Every structure is written in C-alpha cells, then in structure tokens.
Amino acid sequence: MNKIGIASPYRVANYGTKLQAYAISEYIKNITGKETEIINFAPSDDHRIQVILRKVFSCKRNIARIKKIVMDKKNKKNDISRKQLERVRAINKFDDMLPLGEKIKNWNELKESSKQYDCVICGSDQIWLPDNLKDRYYTLEFCDDDVKKGSYAASLGVEVLNNRQKKKYAKFLNKLDFISVRENIGRDLLKSFFNKKDVTWVCDPTLLLTKKQWSDVEERPKVLDSISGDYVFCYFLGTNEEHRQVVYKYAKEKKLKILSIANFKGICESDTKLSDFQLYNLTVNEFLYLIHHSTMVCTDSMHATIFSIIFETNFITFERFKNSDSDSRNSRIYSLLKVMKLEDRLYKGEKILEKQIDYDENIDTREKYINYSKDYIMKEIV
C-alpha cells in the first residue's frame, strides 16, 4: 500500500498552521519515499446529528459566535472586514502547495478511507486542546484498528487538566501506537497521569526542513518596492496596544519602517496608527520572505519565532497571554525559547533587546534537538 495519511488543521487561515502542514507532509514524503497526503477532512465536515446538536447547544461556541458577530459589525465600520477576507484568500492560496487527498464528505467516509493508509499521523499545532477532543478527529478515533497511528508534535495548549479531562486523554492515548508532543510542558503533563506508553518531546515540524528548503518556498512581496532600507516586521496575534507602542518606539529610534500584519484576530488601533504598512493580502510565501529579510521580527506568534530562528533573523517575542488567563498558551513559547537557549529574546517589559543573536553559539544544541526528532520519526513512522 505504501501510503501515509496526515490529520492536520490545514484549513485554518493562519500562516503557521499552513506551514506546519506543509512541513510534516513534505518531510515524511522525502524520508519514506511513500505517497503522503493530508486527509481532506475537517471536524466541520462531520454532520452526524449528535455532533450537530452538541455544537448547537455548546455555550462556549455560542459565546464565540456572538463575539464574532459583534466584532464583524465593528470591523465593517472600519472596512476591516473586507480586508480580513482578502487576507484569508491570500493565505488559502497556499493550499495549492499541500498534498491534499480526495475530499471526504462525512464521518463514515472518513472511517472507510482510513483503511487505505499504512500509517495515519495527527500533527501538529494545538490539535489536542481539551475542546478539540470532542470532535474525535485529531485523536484518530476514526482509524481502522489495523492501521498504525500516532501523533507527531501534537500540542495541548494548556498546562493543567482536570480529572475528567485526564480520563478523556488517557482513553484515546491508549489506542495510539506512538505519541509525541511539541512542548516539554505537554509531555510532563501527559506523563503525570498516563504511563502506559512513552510520550516523547519533539520539535515543531517546520524545524525539520532546512533554511534552504524554506528559502525555495518564499516569494518577495511587492510592498518592498515602496521601501528603501531595512524594516521591522510585526506579526501579532494578540491585541496588546503596549506591544505595538514598544515596537514603534524602537523603529523610530533606529529609523526603520514598520511592516505589520495588521488586525489579524481583532481590532488593534495601533496596528493602523503606528505601522507604516498594514499588510492584508500577504501570502504565506511572502510571509516567509519578510521574516527572512527583516532587520527585526517582533511577534507573539510561535511560528514567526520559529521561522526567525530558521532564517537566523534577529527577533523579539512577546507574551500573547497574561499568565493568569485560564486559556494562556504562553508555555509553548517558553518551551521553544528554552530548548533553543534563546530565553533572552522574550520581551521582559523593558527596551527591546538590540543585541544581534549569535546563532552559531548554540547551533549544537539546536541541531541535537532537531536530529533527535528526526530519529524519532525514523523509528516510529518509517
């Protein structure tokens, strides 16, 4: 059969989500020589009546819908809504580079289609958030019993689970043939209550591809035709005004232009007022180029941080969440910077650290971490 399937949230219109889906499929295809495809299904395609009813009566989903309606009305007044749709279309163009399988229409088709694979992998990104378990997709519960299955660099996105949640995790973990997660905190959390199988900490799949491989994917955006000299590239998922003001002060002192992926998940007035160029129709390939050729990347995104490291670009990472927030996902940033020995690149509430990163200094540590992850894939998947 010689075919591998990947369950990944590739449909999410997010730069990092698209790039991790590309990376895991590309790397596994290259090292196995097997046909590798991303399963063309998402939990929204599951139209079973019990699933529909659960979503209709979900308080959390309904609150999110109301917030979206309110935000959309606010956006329309500022013409932000139209621009955000342009962004979604620009990001989704990258799907042409993804090895998507045949469209799967429902849960029964999904279960039947699993039989065509030697192995099914779920990964990566925050697929194991507690709320995602209800869909039973990224837990691989749709797979035929005879199919080898496991996770690569799955992320829980949380640091604490209650007893009820622990039981749900243990139930599906016990059916997997191999288990790996993206953060050391996630590994330690799972191992604290689940000891029937090994849980391994591996790198994000984007780190499996080389700087050269990613350079071949990038494309120079036309916005750079309007800029002479160096620039700061900003990609904030959160709406913290202070973070933008810090970047603005730094850029003005250094006489740098600010290129910003403005208002990505919500309205932030400083994105418009304090940046020189607001980017709404930036493609994924252009996103890579701007990180690669930036003087400084300022971000609260894990993947923008990762690509800064891959391209050996100077960067500062801000905390997107307050640590007191119940849904804080800062742990993934802490975990990444710690293993890369770049903890000083986390913004501490003072001036932006201007010191150039000496990427040669800790190259052995980074390569050891990445090579360990590659060895894990060879052992469990190949």
Side-chain angles (χ1 to χ4, degrees), residues 60 67 126 129 156-159 320-332:
K60 191 167 186 177
K67 286 183 177 179
Q126 299 172 75
L129 282 167
L156 283 73
V158 296
E159 298 181 40
R320 180 181 167 194
F321 302 90
K322 294 181 180 178
N323 286 323
S324 57
D325 290 349
S326 58
D327 64 344
S328 172
R329 299 167 200 172
N330 290 335
S331 61
R332 54 200 175 134

Side-chain angles (χ1 to χ4, degrees), residues 12-17 71 84 87 91 125-126 182 234-241 243-244 260-268 271 287 298-305 317-321 329-330 332-333:
V12 178
N14 176 287
Y15 295 99
T17 304
M71 184 60 70
Q84 288 179 328
R87 173 177 290 147
I91 293 174
D125 232 351
Q126 299 172 75
R182 193 178 63 182
C234 288
Y235 178 45
F236 287 112
L237 298 173
T239 56
N240 191 305
E241 296 279 352
H243 294 168
R244 275 75 166 182
S260 171
I261 299 182
N263 303 307
F264 190 83
K265 287 199 170 182
I267 297 294
C268 186
D271 278 344
F287 171 83
C298 296
T299 187
D300 60 6
S301 156
M302 177 171 179
H303 279 109
T305 302
T317 300
F318 295 76
E319 292 170 305
R320 180 181 167 194
F321 302 90
R329 299 167 200 172
N330 290 335
R332 54 200 175 134
I333 293 292

Side-chain angles (χ1 to χ4, degrees), residues 14-247:
N14 176 287
Y15 295 99
T17 304
K18 299 289 187 184
L19 288 164
Q20 64 81 28
Y22 173 83
I24 190 170
S25 56
E26 185 74 5
Y27 184 76
I28 290 175
K29 177 192 71 175
N30 289 341
I31 65 165
T32 64
K34 294 183 178 182
E35 182 181 353
T36 302
E37 66 181 25
I38 296 172
I39 299 171
N40 199 347
F41 181 87
S44 58
D45 296 323
D46 188 357
H47 302 307
R48 290 175 297 165
I49 187 65
Q50 65 267 35
V51 175
I52 294 172
L53 289 174
R54 170 171 59 79
K55 292 178 179 178
V56 167
F57 293 105
S58 168
C59 291
K60 191 167 186 177
R61 286 177 183 267
N62 287 330
I63 291 171
R65 287 192 192 101
I66 293 170
K67 286 183 177 179
K68 187 177 185 303
I69 291 170
V70 173
M71 184 60 70
D72 285 346
K73 286 184 177 180
K74 184 178 180 181
N75 289 355
K76 284 178 181 178
K77 292 179 181 178
N78 299 304
D79 200 30
I80 296 297
S81 182
R82 178 185 59 80
K83 293 179 180 179
Q84 288 179 328
L85 284 175
E86 289 178 7
R87 173 177 290 147
V88 169
R89 287 192 288 268
I91 293 174
N92 285 339
K93 288 179 182 178
F94 194 74
D95 288 355
D96 292 339
M97 295 191 66
L98 300 177
L100 300 180
E102 291 292 323
K103 180 80 169 74
I104 297 174
K105 299 175 184 177
N106 55 56
W107 186 262
N108 289 333
E109 277 192 16
L110 178 66
K111 290 179 68 175
E112 185 63 26
S113 72
S114 72
K115 298 176 183 179
Q116 68 181 302
Y117 301 114
D118 294 324
C119 178
V120 176
I121 303 160
C122 60
S124 67
D125 232 351
Q126 299 172 75
I127 57 172
W128 283 356
L129 282 167
D131 277 352
N132 286 349
L133 302 194
K134 299 172 185 176
D135 295 320
R136 298 173 58 210
Y137 177 57
Y138 298 117
T139 59
L140 303 187
E141 291 173 77
F142 64 88
C143 286
D144 188 82
D145 290 340
D146 294 331
V147 176
K148 185 176 183 180
K149 50 192 172 291
S151 65
Y152 181 80
S155 177
L156 283 73
V158 296
E159 298 181 40
V160 179
L161 296 171
N162 60 40
N163 289 332
R164 184 180 177 186
Q165 290 169 329
K166 289 176 181 179
K167 289 179 181 178
K168 290 182 178 180
Y169 278 88
K171 182 179 178 180
F172 81 82
L173 289 172
N174 198 43
K175 295 180 180 180
L176 299 181
D177 297 297
F178 55 93
I179 305 166
S180 68
V181 294
R182 193 178 63 182
E183 288 89 34
N184 60 340
I185 294 173
R187 175 201 59 189
D188 296 343
L189 177 56
L190 291 182
K191 290 177 72 171
S192 70
F193 66 88
F194 181 78
N195 56 15
K196 293 185 179 180
K197 296 178 181 179
D198 289 335
V199 179
T200 305
W201 173 28
V202 295
C203 71
D204 187 271
T206 53
L207 286 161
L208 298 173
L209 301 187
T210 65
K211 178 179 179 180
K212 171 64 167 58
Q213 286 173 300
W214 285 120
S215 296
D216 290 342
V217 175
E218 70 182 34
E219 292 178 4
R220 186 180 186 275
K222 291 182 180 179
V223 67
L224 293 182
D225 294 342
S226 305
I227 299 173
S228 60
D230 296 331
Y231 61 89
V232 175
F233 179 53
C234 288
Y235 178 45
F236 287 112
L237 298 173
T239 56
N240 191 305
E241 296 279 352
E242 180 189 349
H243 294 168
R244 275 75 166 182
Q245 291 164 3
V246 169
V247 176

